[in-house]
Amino acid sequence: MPSLEAPLIGIDRHRLATDGDGITTLVAFHECPLRCAYCINAQCFKESPECKLTVDKLIERLMPDNIYFLATGGGVTFGGGEPLLYADFISEFTRKMPEEWKITIESSLNVPNKNIFKVAQFADLLVIDIKDMDEFIYKQYTGKDNSFVLANLKWLVDNGYADKTIIRIPLIKNYNNKSNQIKSREILESIGFSRFDICLLYTSD
């Protein structure tokens, strides 16, 4: 069977203390279901990706970093865009990569549940950018509703993935405030999450 192929917007090597433990390499996918007002990776919406790679070719590209991953306990971070649009690709990658590599997935979770179901078991860390738990704020900022997000959050808790999930709750200029951040955290804690990153500021400035 031929190796799956996916469109990428970039590969960023030698990242330290950015995406989990050790030295990591970010693999950023093309395309995203959201249209956030302050998107930091707008290149994911370009008509054409920077490149397309098969799973085998991507592993080949990343092998020079193997020594760093092994020495520091690091590995590969899948971001984007939205990496969970390419769940089959990530699943194949994790089956073929050296087993010592750690996998981090950064996602908005705004995808069908089958996508997260396919890859959650392979992730050492899940970083979920929740935007805001208020449905109105979320839709105003992203252009989408958060029904997939809510269902996937519950699924992560019900299936024992809460402890390896960090929830990112940003302060978004002109969209939410610190009270909204606190409320979002309280809701997420009531669901079953305990690891949070609430120190970010999203802005167009």
Side-chain angles (χ1 to χ4, degrees):
M1 180 182 294
S3 178
L4 292 175
E5 184 180 66
L8 306 178
I9 60 173
I11 297 174
D12 186 10
R13 302 173 60 207
H14 301 161
R15 294 158 63 91
L16 182 61
T18 303
D19 314 301
D21 296 330
I23 294 174
T24 59
T25 293
L26 172 66
V27 177
F29 289 96
H30 190 256
E31 299 182 7
C32 181
L34 307 183
R35 294 296 183 270
C36 298
Y38 306 142
C39 179
I40 62 171
N41 286 323
Q43 62 267 41
C44 74
F45 301 120
K46 289 183 178 179
E47 185 173 340
S48 299
E50 294 295 321
C51 65
K52 291 184 178 180
L53 293 178
T54 65
V55 168
D56 292 339
K57 285 294 185 182
L58 178 58
I59 292 175
E60 183 180 320
R61 286 274 295 272
L62 299 180
M63 281 306 296
D65 290 335
N66 183 54
I67 187 171
Y68 302 111
F69 298 160
L70 298 184
T72 66
V76 180
T77 298
F78 290 114
E82 175 51 69
L84 291 183
L85 295 176
Y86 304 96
D88 289 330
F89 182 96
I90 294 172
S91 180
E92 181 184 333
F93 180 94
T94 58
R95 293 195 300 269
K96 291 184 173 182
M97 72 179 191
E99 63 180 13
E100 298 87 358
W101 292 8
K102 299 296 190 298
I103 294 295
T104 297
I105 298 175
E106 297 185 344
S107 172
S108 71
L109 280 192
N110 204 314
V111 294
N113 178 255
K114 64 181 181 180
N115 297 47
I116 185 66
F117 174 80
K118 289 177 180 178
V119 301
Q121 62 186 306
F122 304 116
D124 296 281
L125 179 66
L126 296 163
V127 180
I128 308 303
D129 192 342
I130 208 67
K131 316 303 181 186
D132 198 282
M133 290 297 287
D134 182 278
E135 183 178 359
F136 177 78
I137 293 173
Y138 186 95
K139 190 167 187 177
Q140 287 291 304
Y141 180 65
T142 68
K144 303 286 183 179
D145 68 58
N146 65 348
S147 55
F148 277 147
V149 180
L150 299 177
N152 285 329
L153 287 170
K154 185 177 186 302
W155 184 89
L156 287 174
V157 172
D158 290 346
N159 288 275
Y161 294 110
D163 287 344
K164 65 176 183 180
T165 300
I166 296 175
I167 305 289
R168 186 173 288 160
I169 310 174
L171 181 63
I172 311 171
K173 186 177 180 180
N174 299 324
Y175 288 89
N176 71 355
N177 54 42
K178 291 185 178 180
S179 294
N180 298 128
Q181 284 183 303
I182 293 170
K183 180 63 176 177
S184 290
R185 178 168 181 159
E186 290 173 347
I187 293 171
L188 289 158
E189 286 176 334
S190 72
I191 294 173
F193 293 98
S194 60
R195 302 176 67 187
F196 299 96
D197 177 357
I198 58 172
C199 299
L200 301 177
L201 175 65
Y202 288 4
T203 174
S204 60
D205 296 338

